[in-house]
């Protein structure tokens, strides 16, 4: 009712610091109502304050009028009993009353809060009331949303037309649009701006390529879209070819042989161009960079690069010319040659090949070249310098003029067929080469040639004793050199006319020509039988044109002694020379005697021997042969008949052939033989030998036993043991006799029964006898068992079994051992006969 009487006033205040204009409605003293208007701007979703005066009125009423309508609806009222918020306030946001005032706060401002707010304020109601009408116009502004960019063509072709659109979902106008362009390098610039969200781009070019974004802004905020890539399609342009290393000439580019050359082709294009290389119109490579490692001269020619845009199906091409510079092979070649009939010099320098041609020039004593003889000094040096574009450093060659150091050399030789005699003259060395020619008797001569000259004469036409003269001329000398050759019959020389050697050795016979001689076709040897000697197992020939040596191998006295003849001939005559070969036999070695043969221990497995020589002369022998043989079993060894027979059979071969040691040191006088069988008796002898002869063997000896000092102790121990054993035996016998009735079997076992016959007990195999087929007794273990005789009388030595291959045995009588030798073994035969009753 009050609202209908007083009307509604709207007050709009922004929550943010937004300036506003307020119009008051005030009742003056004449009870007239005064009005005040205020405009407030709020942001969607934010907060805003609507003010109603500066002090708290006694009564106030807030009302809301929606734009486009005239309906006034209460929102908040306070009739003196506190504020009351109406249901309508829920549609306008979170509305609340600011304490101690009539101002209204609206949070989370919705778009529906946009409209006219009227605050009717009544002051001093008990007195003269004062009425204010505050009209607040609230405008809710919406911030711009994030824009998004659209293009009519994201890959336009260069020269075409396109448009860009910046679109928004929300935003309160007016809205301003700005388009930004970002290049590949990251530079950002404003491409276009305005109040409209669409722009047109005419005549698109490659510079438009890049990232684009749009910025939309209003009075509330500003938002930027995501960037979008614009890819302009263009090209290819005319290719650009870069040559590395860079070297340009009038004809194009140049390169040095064997260096690495790189050709890089670049053509502006989007998408990137595809490159194809051509060499002399032939395709050779695909790719932007063509690299030729160690380029050769054959690579000279035209190189073309073809750039292709596969998207637009367009292409472009560029051709260059590449010339490969290469130096001549090697280095300059310098030489000097005679001129004007060997009176002047001509210098030559050549360096063929290369492109372009090399540059050559001489340095040295050039002023004297080509002038009179003798003005150019000996050992003069001339240098030719060569340079080329393909070489970093110049190269040079030198030639030196000098006179040959030696004198002219003359010699003669005969052809193999003995048809011609060749007279050779040479003057080696020097630069340039000397001129050589021959002059001989009877107009026998030959014209000049460089360095050497050969005069050919028919065999037998040479003038004996007449000189043949060779002339040599050099440009650095005024005088002419000469060399004379006088032809004579050959003369042979030998080191010795008589050569003696011991039998079995190799000997060399020498034969050589005199220093000044006419060459012969061959030097021939004839042996002591007059037979032409050839290379065989017996003879060895080593020869040259000046000498021939004959070697006779493994000489023998009867076969090789005699006269040997060396002969030769030449175009003038022939000659020979005799050499006498005397082959001697080696002397007989001296006699040798064994002075000591003894076992070195009681084990009897090693024997030490010593010997001495009679009429000893140094060098008469080369060594000794030490022999030993098995004689017999040691007496007293136990064993059965079968065991002894087997043992003798095993040693049968040793008994027949024996053992030997070859001692090659002639100065040795003692030796130790080991690994002997202790139970076997041996005999030893020694024989001296030299290269070809075997001396007389020494007398055979049997090793003596070593001295032994333990006999007393052993005998004492044996006697003591026997005494104790006898005492025990007596006591045992007495006990058995006294108790024979209690132990009759033991008594009969020891003493026998009353009717037993007495017989001998055989306790050892050596004492056992076996009855023969005819009733005789055969001894087991004795030497007569095998039909053997005394070893000293039956020992047989075989020279062939002990003599090495290189020795030829000489028969000799072996002296028999002395009967009185203490070291000789004694054979004892014991015969046991048993008779039965």
């Amino acid at each position: 009712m009050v609202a209908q009487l007083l009307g509604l006033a709207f007050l709009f205040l922004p929550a943010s610091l937004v300036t506003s204009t307020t119009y008051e409605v005030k009742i003056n003293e004449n009870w007239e109502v005064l009005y005040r208007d205020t405009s407030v701007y709020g942001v969607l979703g934010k907060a805003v304050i609507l003010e109603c005066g500066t002090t708290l009125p006694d009564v106030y009423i807030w009302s809301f009028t929606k734009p486009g309508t005239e309906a006034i609806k209460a929102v908040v009222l306070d009739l003196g009993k506190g504020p009351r918020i109406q249901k309508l306030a829920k549609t306008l946001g979170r509305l609340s009353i600011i304490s101690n005032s009539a101002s209204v706060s609206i949070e989370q401002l919705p778009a529906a809060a946009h409209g006219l707010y009227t605050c009717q304020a009544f002051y001093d109601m008990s007195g003269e009331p004062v009425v204010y009408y505050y009209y607040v116009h609230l405008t809710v502004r919406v911030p711009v949303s994030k824009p998004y960019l659209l293009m009519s063509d994201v890959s336009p072709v260069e020269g075409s037309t396109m448009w860009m659109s910046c679109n928004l979902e929300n935003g309160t106008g007016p809205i301003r649009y700005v388009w930004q362009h970002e290049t590949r390098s990251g530079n950002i610039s404003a491409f276009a701006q305005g109040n409209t969200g669409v722009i047109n781009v005419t005549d698109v070019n490659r510079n438009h390529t890049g990232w684009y974004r749009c910025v939309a802004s209003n009075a509330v905020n500003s938002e930027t879209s995501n960037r979008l890539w614009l890819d302009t399609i263009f090209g290819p342009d005319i290719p650009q070819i870069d040559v590395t290393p860079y070297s340009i000439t009038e004809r194009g580019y140049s390169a040095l042989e064997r260096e690495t050359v790189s050709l890089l082709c670049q053509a502006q294009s989007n998408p990137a161009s595809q490159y194809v290389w051509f060499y002399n119109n032939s395709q050779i490579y695909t790719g932007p960079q063509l690299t030729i490692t160690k380029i050769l001269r054959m690579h000279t020619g035209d190189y073309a690069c073809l750039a292709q845009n596969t998207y637009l199906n367009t292409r472009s091409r560029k051709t260059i010319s590449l010339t490969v510079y290469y130096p001549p092979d090697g280095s300059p070649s310098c030489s000097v040659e005679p001129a004007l009939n060997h009176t002047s010099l001509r210098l030559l320098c050549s360096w063929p090949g290369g492109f372009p041609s090399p540059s050559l020039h001489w340095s040295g004593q050039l002023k004297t070249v080509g002038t009179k003889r003798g003005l150019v000094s000996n050992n003069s040096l001339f240098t030719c310098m060569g340079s080329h574009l393909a070489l970093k450093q110049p190269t040079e060659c030198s030639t030196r003029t000098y006179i040959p150091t030696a004198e002219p050399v003359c010699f003669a030789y005969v052809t193999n067929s003995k048809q011609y005699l060749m007279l050779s003259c040479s003057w080696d060395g020097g630069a340039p080469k000397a001129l050589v020619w021959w002059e001989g008797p009877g107009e026998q001569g030959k014209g000049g040639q460089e360095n050497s000259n050969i005069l050919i004469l028919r065999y037998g036409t040479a003038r004996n004793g007449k000189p043949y003269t060779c002339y040599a001329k050099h440009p650095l000398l005024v005088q002419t050199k000469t060399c004379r050759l006088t032809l004579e019959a050959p003369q042979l020389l030998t080191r010795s006319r008589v050569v003696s050697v011991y039998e079995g050795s190799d000997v060399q016979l020498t034969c050589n020509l005199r220093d000044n001689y006419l060459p012969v076709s061959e030097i021939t040897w004839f042996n002591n039988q007059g037979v032409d000697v050839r290379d065989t197992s017996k003879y060895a020939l080593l020869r040259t044109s000046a000498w021939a040596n004959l070697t006779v191998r493994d000489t023998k006295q009867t076969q090789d002694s005699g006269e040997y003849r060396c002969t030769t001939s030449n175009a003038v005559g022939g000659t020979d020379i005799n050499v006498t070969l005397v082959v001697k036999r080696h002397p007989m070695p001296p006699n040798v005697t064994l002075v000591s043969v003894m076992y070195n221990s009681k084990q009897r497995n090693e024997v030490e021997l010593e010997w001495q020589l009679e009429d000893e002369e140094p060098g008469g022998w080369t060594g000794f042969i030490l022999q030993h043989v098995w004689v017999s079993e040691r007496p007293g060894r136990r064993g059965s008949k079968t065991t002894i027979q087997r043992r003798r059979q095993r040693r049968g071969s040793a008994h027949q052939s024996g053992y030997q040691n070859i001692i090659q040191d002639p100065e040795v006088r003692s030796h130790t033989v080991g690994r002997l069988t202790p139970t076997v008796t041996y005999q030893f002898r020694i024989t001296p030998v030299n290269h070809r002869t075997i001396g007389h063997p020494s007398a055979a000896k049997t090793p003596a036993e070593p001295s032994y000092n333990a006999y007393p102790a052993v005998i004492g121990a044996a006697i003591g043991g026997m005494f104790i054993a006898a005492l025990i035996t007596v006591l045992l016998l007495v006990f058995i006799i006294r108790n024979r009735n209690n132990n009759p079997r033991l008594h009969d076992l020891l003493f026998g029964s009353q009717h037993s016959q007495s017989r001998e007990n055989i306790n050892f195999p050596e004492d056992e006898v076996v009855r023969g087929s005819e009733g005789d007794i055969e001894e087991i273990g004795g030497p007569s068992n095998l039909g053997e005789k005394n070893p000293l009388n039956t020992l047989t030595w075989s020279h062939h079994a002990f003599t090495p291959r290189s020795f030829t045995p000489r028969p000799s009588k072996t002296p028999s051992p002395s009967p009185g030798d203490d070291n000789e073994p004694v054979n004892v035969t014991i015969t046991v006969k048993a008779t039965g009753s």
Side-chain angles (χ1 to χ4, degrees), residues 349-650:
C349 182
S350 63
W351 199 10
F355 182 82
S357 298
S359 175
L360 302 172
H361 66 278
W362 280 98
S363 63
Q365 300 178 4
L366 300 179
K367 294 182 179 180
T368 60
V369 177
T371 61
K372 294 182 179 180
R373 291 185 300 169
L375 295 181
V376 177
S377 60
N378 187 25
N379 204 23
S380 297
L381 180 67
F382 301 93
T383 302
C384 176
M385 298 292 297
S387 59
H388 194 271
L389 295 175
L391 296 177
K392 295 181 180 179
Q393 298 293 335
T395 183
E396 64 181 29
C397 66
S398 299
T399 184
R400 190 179 295 274
T401 60
Y402 59 93
I403 303 170
T405 56
E407 296 295 323
V409 177
C410 300
F411 61 95
Y413 60 94
V414 180
T415 59
N416 294 333
S417 60
K418 293 186 178 181
Q419 292 183 353
Y420 299 98
L421 173 64
M422 319 291 283
L423 302 183
S424 176
C425 178
S426 61
W427 196 15
D428 295 332
K433 296 178 180 180
L435 181 66
V436 181
W437 69 94
W438 277 100
E439 291 183 4
E443 297 182 357
Q444 292 180 337
K446 187 177 182 181
Q449 293 181 352
E450 286 188 351
N451 206 34
S452 65
N453 196 318
I454 297 178
L455 175 61
I456 302 176
L457 302 176
R458 286 191 174 274
Y459 196 84
T461 61
R463 303 294 179 88
N464 186 19
K466 299 294 183 180
Y468 289 81
T469 304
C470 172
Y471 296 91
K473 183 171 65 175
H474 195 273
L476 301 183
L477 291 177
V478 178
Q479 299 296 329
T480 302
K481 297 280 185 177
T482 60
C483 172
R484 287 181 175 83
L485 186 63
T486 301
L487 302 181
E488 298 176 352
Q491 296 182 9
L492 293 176
L493 302 176
T494 184
R495 188 177 303 170
S496 176
R497 289 296 189 96
V498 179
V499 179
S500 62
V501 66
Y502 279 110
E503 190 177 31
S505 302
D506 296 347
V507 63
Q508 188 181 68
L509 308 181
T510 63
C511 180
N512 60 283
L513 292 169
R514 188 172 55 85
D515 292 340
N516 295 326
Y517 66 97
L518 178 64
V520 298
S521 58
E522 188 179 44
I523 300 175
T524 306
W525 275 98
F526 294 90
N527 63 9
N528 56 350
Q529 304 297 325
V531 179
D532 186 8
V533 175
R534 301 297 178 186
D535 278 325
T536 61
S537 60
K538 183 65 178 178
Y539 301 106
L541 278 173
L542 183 63
R543 71 176 78 196
T544 64
S545 60
W547 52 268
N549 293 338
L550 171 62
T551 300
V552 183
R553 300 189 181 101
D554 191 17
T555 56
K556 292 180 175 54
Q557 183 181 32
T558 58
Q559 178 182 348
D560 299 320
S561 297
E563 294 287 338
Y564 289 76
R565 183 165 57 92
C566 174
T567 180
T568 188
S569 63
N570 63 7
V572 179
T575 185
D576 57 16
I577 189 172
N578 294 332
V579 179
T580 302
L581 176 61
V582 179
V583 181
K584 300 178 181 180
R585 288 185 178 274
H586 287 278
M588 189 71 177
N591 293 331
V592 62
T593 303
L594 285 173
V595 297
S596 175
V597 181
M598 180 179 294
Y599 288 107
N600 61 3
S601 65
K602 62 181 180 179
Q603 283 80 13
R604 292 171 55 91
N605 54 7
E606 289 188 354
V607 173
E608 294 182 352
L609 302 99
E610 295 183 4
W611 61 87
Q612 64 181 10
L613 295 173
E614 300 176 5
D615 301 330
E616 180 177 353
E617 294 180 2
W621 65 97
T622 59
F624 304 93
I625 298 177
L626 180 60
Q627 301 167 306
H628 66 279
V629 296
W630 175 81
V631 178
S632 66
E633 289 284 355
R634 182 181 178 188
R637 182 175 181 183
R638 299 177 180 178
S640 64
K641 177 181 178 180
T642 305
T643 303
I644 295 175
Q645 288 178 347
R646 290 178 179 174
R647 191 179 299 118
R648 288 181 175 178
Q649 289 175 0
R650 288 196 301 268

Side-chain angles (χ1 to χ4, degrees), residues 1 40 69 126 135 137 150 192 230 265 290 344 392 402-403 408 413 439 442 574 585 598 665 714:
M1 189 69 182
V40 178
T69 64
S126 60
Y135 295 102
H137 298 275
L150 295 177
L230 177 65
C265 183
L290 172 62
S344 300
K392 295 181 180 179
Y402 59 93
I403 303 170
Y413 60 94
E439 291 183 4
R585 288 185 178 274
M598 180 179 294
D665 187 358
V714 174

Side-chain angles (χ1 to χ4, degrees), residues 8 10 189 234-235 269 302 310 323 331 343-344 358 432 507 569-570 653 724 735 745-746 764 781 786 788 808:
L8 292 176
F10 294 87
S189 60
F234 63 91
S269 176
D302 295 332
T310 57
T323 303
S331 58
T343 60
S344 300
V507 63
S569 63
N570 63 7
S653 59
I724 295 173
F735 174 78
R745 292 186 179 180
L746 181 60
F764 301 97
L786 299 177
E788 297 179 354
T808 301

Side-chain angles (χ1 to χ4, degrees), residues 125-355:
M125 293 296 294
S126 60
E128 293 181 359
V130 178
V131 180
Y132 286 89
Y133 272 47
Y134 295 96
Y135 295 102
V136 180
H137 298 275
L138 176 60
T139 302
V140 179
R141 292 179 175 177
V142 179
V144 293
S145 62
K146 184 178 181 64
Y148 55 95
L149 185 62
L150 295 177
M151 294 183 182
S152 61
D153 190 357
V154 294
S155 298
V157 179
E158 189 174 34
S160 62
T161 302
M162 62 164 294
W163 54 263
M164 300 182 187
S165 174
C166 186
N167 301 318
L168 296 173
E169 296 293 337
N170 297 308
T172 302
I175 299 175
R176 184 171 181 79
Y177 298 91
V178 177
W179 278 265
Q180 294 179 346
H181 176 215
E182 181 180 352
T183 62
R184 296 179 186 269
S185 60
N187 296 326
I188 300 176
S189 60
F191 177 70
Q193 56 185 353
N195 295 327
T196 177
V198 179
I199 61 172
N200 292 319
V201 181
T202 59
D203 193 14
V204 176
N205 58 59
R206 64 193 66 182
N207 295 328
H208 292 149
T209 299
W211 295 103
Y212 286 86
R213 59 175 65 88
C214 70
V215 180
S217 59
N218 60 6
V220 178
N221 67 333
S222 177
E223 289 289 340
T224 303
S225 68
N226 294 329
R227 63 181 185 175
L228 186 63
W229 178 258
L230 177 65
D231 193 14
T232 304
I233 306 300
F234 63 91
D237 296 343
I238 299 299
Q240 176 67 32
I241 299 178
D242 296 326
V243 181
T244 304
Y246 180 78
S247 178
I248 193 168
T249 63
E250 295 179 356
R251 300 176 56 185
Y253 294 90
S254 65
L256 303 182
E257 191 175 36
R258 294 192 176 278
E259 69 179 1
T260 300
V261 177
S262 176
L263 306 179
L264 179 62
C265 183
Q266 294 177 323
Q268 295 293 328
S269 176
N270 187 33
S273 298
Q274 302 293 325
Y275 300 95
V276 179
W277 284 95
F278 294 86
Y279 170 67
N280 292 339
N281 297 324
S282 297
Q283 181 177 338
I284 58 173
Y285 184 73
T286 301
Q289 185 170 7
L290 172 62
T291 301
I292 306 174
T293 58
K294 293 184 179 181
I295 192 170
L296 301 176
R297 61 197 70 178
M298 62 189 328
H299 295 146
T300 298
D302 295 332
Y303 290 83
C305 174
L306 177 65
Q308 303 178 91
N309 188 323
T310 57
Y311 184 84
L312 298 177
N313 196 22
T314 56
R315 57 181 56 86
S316 60
R317 180 182 179 127
K318 185 175 182 180
T319 303
I320 64 170
S321 177
L322 179 63
T323 303
V324 180
Y325 289 165
Y326 58 94
D329 296 334
S331 58
S333 175
C334 300
S335 63
V336 58
E337 63 181 25
L340 303 177
N341 194 23
H342 279 71
T343 60
S344 300
L345 300 177
R346 180 183 295 114
L347 300 179
L348 300 177
C349 182
S350 63
W351 199 10
F355 182 82

